[in-house]
Amino acid sequence: YCIIEVNARLSRSSALASKATGYPLAYVATKLSLGRDLVTLRNSVTRTTTACFEPSLDYCVLKMPRWDLKKFSRVSKNLGSSMLSVGEVMAIGRTFEEVMQKACRMVNPSLDGLEGRDSGLIVDEDEVSLEDQLKTPTDTRLFAVQAALEDGWSVDKVYELTKIDKWFLSKLKNIATMRHACREKSLDELVSKNPFDRLRTLKMAGFSDRQIARYCNAPDGAMGESRVRTLRKAYGVVPVVKQIDTLAAEFPAQTNYLYMTYSGDSDDIPESAYTTHLAPLGGDLSSEAGAPRSPSVVAFEQRKPVAAHTIEDAKERGVMVLGCGAYCIGSSVEFDWCAVSAARQLRRDGFKSIIVNYNPETVSTDYDESDRLYFEELTLERVLDIYEREGASGIVVSVGGQIPNNLAGPLTDFGAKILGTSARDIERAEDRRQFSDMLDGMGLQQPAWSVLKNKDDAIQFARDVGFPVLVRPSFVLSGAAMRVAADETQ
């Protein structure tokens, strides 16, 4: 056996349980071991009640493991009772459908939500039948289950093959049913009747703007996502901010531990005086689909982001720090240290610090490490939601690793202010061709390389330069999708 990585830490399950409930288990246990009792200890969230209580939740929490089994060529993908995950995520919301889709986006940033074949994670059915994929627990069985439900398989049939509780399967079936209904309409048709109810229902079930755009044949990429975003905001479909309060709102909470959801009508915290509205990509897209143009909508859309004119203004508005997301092989606690160090320095300098992260193992998701903690996705949609809601003076993307770095360009396109290295320079360093052009301009030597898009070109290049060769995509960290090939077969 080889030790790949060792982290000096306690059980991550206890950390997750503490952050899922807002009840600090390690803190309370330490105080008890020192002779204190539960009655005299204060609830660190309400700061008025005692620690002698059982947490009561008015929200749903889902833990999803992150596996890196694909980095090993001869490792079985089958799951059992032994620990195989290298990290985990924690999604918070008000419905199971919402947290399931959130968790999928958290654990794999390339996913738009929970999908079957569209996820690209289903094993080739010519090699392993869908039925066999359902019978065997693997790291991708969830997506095989969703593919079966999208194909019209009944909950009972899937249950017989998987033995997954029917309650959970019925919730996954809801996602598949809503996806099917959404795909039958264009975006204009979707909002032609009861637009608020339709859009809000989809958002309450965890569907992202990018998913809705793709299902309704909106323009590809950021333009389609921007159009859906603009439409739903024009119809008043925006997320609300809720607190983790441990007592289901029975007592006032004074915590800065927050999440966002569409299953609510009011915020638990007052709106920032600097709340802004970013212009959509390509100008005003809402009028194309007949979105309402009431005076209140026009007034809201005219609230353009106002730059911080003074340092005191910037301090009050605050700075967002994007965390590292789920741990994986090659990307671990070092990025969490960077994010926490950045947040601590901001606070020492008098800036309001706002951390966004969803990894319960990290110190950055301890709510006393920042002025506001959003336990949320690191997606373009959600980061923009928080940026607009807080009216932050800028976003730090450089301390969280690859996930925040990849958001720098899209955030800049939407008008968000990136602090530190510009999005243009990040792209120039990440993109192989742009980086090579920069080295050529500086007169620096570099190994032979080429951008290749098919197998034949790759084999020919390898023959020209000789084996071994390094195969690696752009915009990745820690060896993701990277291989060293020693011959043509590899």
Side-chain angles (χ1 to χ4, degrees), residues 463-486:
R463 288 173 178 171
D464 293 341
V465 300
F467 288 99
V469 294
L470 180 67
V471 184
R472 183 184 177 114
S474 297
F475 299 96
V476 297
L477 189 69
S478 73
M482 183 189 77
R483 292 290 185 275
V484 176

Short mmCIF file of all heavy atoms in Angstrom, two decimals, residues 463-486:
data_model
loop_
_atom_site.label_atom_id
_atom_site.label_comp_id
_atom_site.label_asym_id
_atom_site.label_seq_id
_atom_site.Cartn_x
_atom_site.Cartn_y
_atom_site.Cartn_z
N ARG A 463 4.59 10.74 -32.59
CA ARG A 463 5.63 10.14 -33.42
C ARG A 463 6.71 11.15 -33.77
O ARG A 463 7.90 10.82 -33.83
CB ARG A 463 5.00 9.57 -34.69
CG ARG A 463 4.15 8.33 -34.47
CD ARG A 463 3.42 7.94 -35.76
NE ARG A 463 2.63 6.71 -35.58
CZ ARG A 463 1.76 6.25 -36.50
NH1 ARG A 463 1.60 6.92 -37.64
NH2 ARG A 463 1.09 5.14 -36.26
N ASP A 464 6.29 12.38 -34.00
CA ASP A 464 7.25 13.41 -34.39
C ASP A 464 8.20 13.77 -33.25
O ASP A 464 9.40 13.97 -33.47
CB ASP A 464 6.51 14.67 -34.86
CG ASP A 464 5.74 14.44 -36.16
OD1 ASP A 464 6.05 13.47 -36.87
OD2 ASP A 464 4.80 15.23 -36.43
N VAL A 465 7.66 13.86 -32.02
CA VAL A 465 8.50 14.31 -30.90
C VAL A 465 9.06 13.15 -30.10
O VAL A 465 10.02 13.32 -29.36
CB VAL A 465 7.71 15.25 -29.96
CG1 VAL A 465 7.22 16.48 -30.72
CG2 VAL A 465 6.54 14.54 -29.30
N GLY A 466 8.44 11.96 -30.23
CA GLY A 466 8.90 10.79 -29.50
C GLY A 466 8.21 10.63 -28.15
O GLY A 466 7.85 11.62 -27.51
N PHE A 467 7.99 9.38 -27.75
CA PHE A 467 7.38 9.08 -26.46
C PHE A 467 8.44 9.15 -25.36
O PHE A 467 9.63 8.98 -25.63
CB PHE A 467 6.74 7.69 -26.50
CG PHE A 467 5.49 7.62 -27.33
CD1 PHE A 467 5.53 7.13 -28.63
CD2 PHE A 467 4.28 8.06 -26.83
CE1 PHE A 467 4.39 7.06 -29.40
CE2 PHE A 467 3.12 8.01 -27.59
CZ PHE A 467 3.18 7.50 -28.89
N PRO A 468 8.01 9.39 -24.08
CA PRO A 468 6.62 9.62 -23.61
C PRO A 468 6.16 11.05 -23.87
O PRO A 468 6.98 11.95 -24.05
CB PRO A 468 6.72 9.34 -22.11
CG PRO A 468 8.13 9.73 -21.77
CD PRO A 468 8.96 9.36 -22.96
N VAL A 469 4.84 11.23 -23.89
CA VAL A 469 4.24 12.55 -24.06
C VAL A 469 3.24 12.80 -22.94
O VAL A 469 2.67 11.87 -22.37
CB VAL A 469 3.53 12.69 -25.43
CG1 VAL A 469 4.53 12.61 -26.56
CG2 VAL A 469 2.44 11.64 -25.60
N LEU A 470 3.04 14.07 -22.64
CA LEU A 470 2.09 14.47 -21.60
C LEU A 470 0.82 14.99 -22.27
O LEU A 470 0.88 15.89 -23.10
CB LEU A 470 2.71 15.57 -20.73
CG LEU A 470 1.85 16.13 -19.58
CD1 LEU A 470 1.62 15.07 -18.52
CD2 LEU A 470 2.53 17.35 -18.96
N VAL A 471 -0.31 14.40 -21.92
CA VAL A 471 -1.61 14.80 -22.46
C VAL A 471 -2.37 15.52 -21.36
O VAL A 471 -2.66 14.93 -20.31
CB VAL A 471 -2.42 13.59 -22.95
CG1 VAL A 471 -3.74 14.04 -23.59
CG2 VAL A 471 -1.61 12.77 -23.93
N ARG A 472 -2.68 16.80 -21.60
CA ARG A 472 -3.31 17.58 -20.54
C ARG A 472 -4.18 18.68 -21.14
O ARG A 472 -3.76 19.37 -22.06
CB ARG A 472 -2.24 18.21 -19.64
CG ARG A 472 -2.79 18.99 -18.46
CD ARG A 472 -1.69 19.68 -17.67
NE ARG A 472 -2.25 20.48 -16.58
CZ ARG A 472 -2.07 20.21 -15.30
NH1 ARG A 472 -1.36 19.17 -14.95
NH2 ARG A 472 -2.60 20.99 -14.37
N PRO A 473 -5.39 18.87 -20.62
CA PRO A 473 -6.26 19.95 -21.10
C PRO A 473 -5.89 21.28 -20.45
O PRO A 473 -5.06 21.33 -19.53
CB PRO A 473 -7.65 19.50 -20.66
CG PRO A 473 -7.40 18.69 -19.43
CD PRO A 473 -6.07 18.02 -19.63
N SER A 474 -6.51 22.35 -20.94
CA SER A 474 -6.34 23.66 -20.30
C SER A 474 -7.34 23.82 -19.17
O SER A 474 -8.30 23.06 -19.06
CB SER A 474 -6.54 24.78 -21.34
OG SER A 474 -5.58 24.72 -22.36
N PHE A 475 -7.11 24.82 -18.33
CA PHE A 475 -8.03 25.20 -17.26
C PHE A 475 -8.32 24.04 -16.30
O PHE A 475 -9.46 23.79 -15.93
CB PHE A 475 -9.35 25.73 -17.85
CG PHE A 475 -9.16 26.95 -18.70
CD1 PHE A 475 -9.06 26.84 -20.08
CD2 PHE A 475 -9.05 28.21 -18.13
CE1 PHE A 475 -8.86 27.96 -20.88
CE2 PHE A 475 -8.85 29.34 -18.92
CZ PHE A 475 -8.77 29.21 -20.29
N VAL A 476 -7.27 23.32 -15.91
CA VAL A 476 -7.42 22.25 -14.92
C VAL A 476 -6.31 22.39 -13.89
O VAL A 476 -5.30 23.05 -14.11
CB VAL A 476 -7.37 20.84 -15.55
CG1 VAL A 476 -8.53 20.63 -16.50
CG2 VAL A 476 -6.04 20.61 -16.25
N LEU A 477 -6.52 21.73 -12.74
CA LEU A 477 -5.55 21.76 -11.66
C LEU A 477 -5.42 20.35 -11.10
O LEU A 477 -6.34 19.54 -11.23
CB LEU A 477 -6.01 22.72 -10.56
CG LEU A 477 -5.02 23.04 -9.45
CD1 LEU A 477 -3.87 23.89 -10.01
CD2 LEU A 477 -5.71 23.83 -8.35
N SER A 478 -4.30 20.06 -10.51
CA SER A 478 -4.06 18.81 -9.79
C SER A 478 -4.14 17.58 -10.69
O SER A 478 -4.51 16.50 -10.25
CB SER A 478 -5.04 18.64 -8.62
OG SER A 478 -6.35 18.34 -9.06
N GLY A 479 -3.78 17.74 -11.96
CA GLY A 479 -3.71 16.58 -12.84
C GLY A 479 -5.04 16.06 -13.32
O GLY A 479 -5.12 14.92 -13.81
N ALA A 480 -6.10 16.83 -13.22
CA ALA A 480 -7.41 16.37 -13.69
C ALA A 480 -7.37 16.12 -15.18
O ALA A 480 -6.92 16.96 -15.95
CB ALA A 480 -8.47 17.43 -13.35
N ALA A 481 -7.81 14.94 -15.59
CA ALA A 481 -7.88 14.53 -17.01
C ALA A 481 -6.50 14.54 -17.67
O ALA A 481 -6.38 14.69 -18.88
CB ALA A 481 -8.84 15.44 -17.78
N MET A 482 -5.44 14.37 -16.89
CA MET A 482 -4.07 14.38 -17.42
C MET A 482 -3.52 12.96 -17.42
O MET A 482 -3.79 12.19 -16.50
CB MET A 482 -3.18 15.29 -16.58
CG MET A 482 -1.76 15.41 -17.11
SD MET A 482 -0.66 16.28 -15.95
CE MET A 482 -0.35 14.97 -14.75
N ARG A 483 -2.76 12.63 -18.47
CA ARG A 483 -2.13 11.31 -18.55
C ARG A 483 -0.74 11.44 -19.17
O ARG A 483 -0.52 12.31 -20.03
CB ARG A 483 -2.97 10.35 -19.42
CG ARG A 483 -4.32 9.96 -18.82
CD ARG A 483 -4.16 9.04 -17.61
NE ARG A 483 -5.45 8.59 -17.13
CZ ARG A 483 -6.23 9.26 -16.28
NH1 ARG A 483 -5.83 10.44 -15.83
NH2 ARG A 483 -7.38 8.77 -15.88
N VAL A 484 0.15 10.56 -18.77
CA VAL A 484 1.43 10.41 -19.44
C VAL A 484 1.34 9.16 -20.30
O VAL A 484 1.08 8.06 -19.79
CB VAL A 484 2.59 10.27 -18.42
CG1 VAL A 484 3.89 10.01 -19.16
CG2 VAL A 484 2.70 11.53 -17.57
N ALA A 485 1.48 9.35 -21.62
CA ALA A 485 1.35 8.24 -22.55
C ALA A 485 2.73 7.77 -22.99
O ALA A 485 3.55 8.58 -23.45
CB ALA A 485 0.52 8.65 -23.76
N ALA A 486 2.99 6.47 -22.85
CA ALA A 486 4.31 5.91 -23.20
C ALA A 486 4.29 5.24 -24.57
O ALA A 486 5.36 4.92 -25.11
CB ALA A 486 4.74 4.89 -22.15
#
